[in-house]
């Protein structure tokens, strides 16, 4: 089997994985959630309004503060939605799986043993948070 065929097999395995199925199911629920879609639409409109207001030479600071408050409220409402919570959790699990797969492929392409190479990037702490990409 050549590498491309193996990659296609990996694609099939990914699609058979419970994390992939949960992600797709959560995405579909989001798409069908009319209340959530309205909140997202309202959020995007307010962001555009904020961008328009910010690009004006004479900015209305009260309007900017009001739009910022509305955007924060809409964002909080979106993130409280049960379907969005489910989606975010499923997306995180999917992203973790894809990251692990990518790590194995990358290490293998650099000559590491595919059976023993790590599935997570090594993390070392220098003690200085200013140069850090974040703790895990």
């Amino acid at each position: 089997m050549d590498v491309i065929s193996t990659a296609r097999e990996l694609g099939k395995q990914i699609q058979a994985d419970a994390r992939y199925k949960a992600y797709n199911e959560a995405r579909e629920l989001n798409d069908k959630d009319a209340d959530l879609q309205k909140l997202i639409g309202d959020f995007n409109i307010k962001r555009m309004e904020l961008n328009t207001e910010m690009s004006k030479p004479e900015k209305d600071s009260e309007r900017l503060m009001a739009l910022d408050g509305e955007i924060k409220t809409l964002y909080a409402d979106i993130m409280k939605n049960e379907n969005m919570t489910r989606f975010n959790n499923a997306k995180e699990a999917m992203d973790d799986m894809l990251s692990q797969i990518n790590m194995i492929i990358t290490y293998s392409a650099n000559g590491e043993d595919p059976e023993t190479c790590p599935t997570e990037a090594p993390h070392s702490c220098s003690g200085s948070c200013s140069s850090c990409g974040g703790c895990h």
Side-chain angles (χ1 to χ4, degrees), residues 22 30 39-41 47 51 53 57 88 98-99 109-112 135:
N30 268 7
L39 286 170
I40 292 170
R47 270 194 7 211
N51 288 338
E53 191 64 40
N88 283 334
L98 293 174
S99 177
N110 287 321
E112 296 288 329
C135 293

Side-chain angles (χ1 to χ4, degrees), residues 11 21-22 33 38 62 68 82 91 106:
K21 291 175 182 176
D33 186 333
K38 181 176 178 348
E62 287 183 25
D68 184 59
E82 180 181 324
K91 183 179 182 325
T106 300

Side-chain angles (χ1 to χ4, degrees), residues 87-132:
F87 173 78
N88 283 334
N89 292 337
K91 183 179 182 325
E92 184 177 330
M94 186 71 182
D95 288 347
D96 286 346
M97 177 180 66
L98 293 174
S99 177
Q100 289 178 341
I101 291 167
N102 188 51
M103 190 68 60
I104 292 169
I105 291 169
T106 300
Y107 271 86
S108 298
N110 287 321
E112 296 288 329
D113 180 356
E115 293 294 325
T116 60
C117 62
T119 57
E120 294 182 7
H123 178 74
S124 60
C125 183
S126 67
S128 171
C129 294
S130 64
S131 63
C132 183

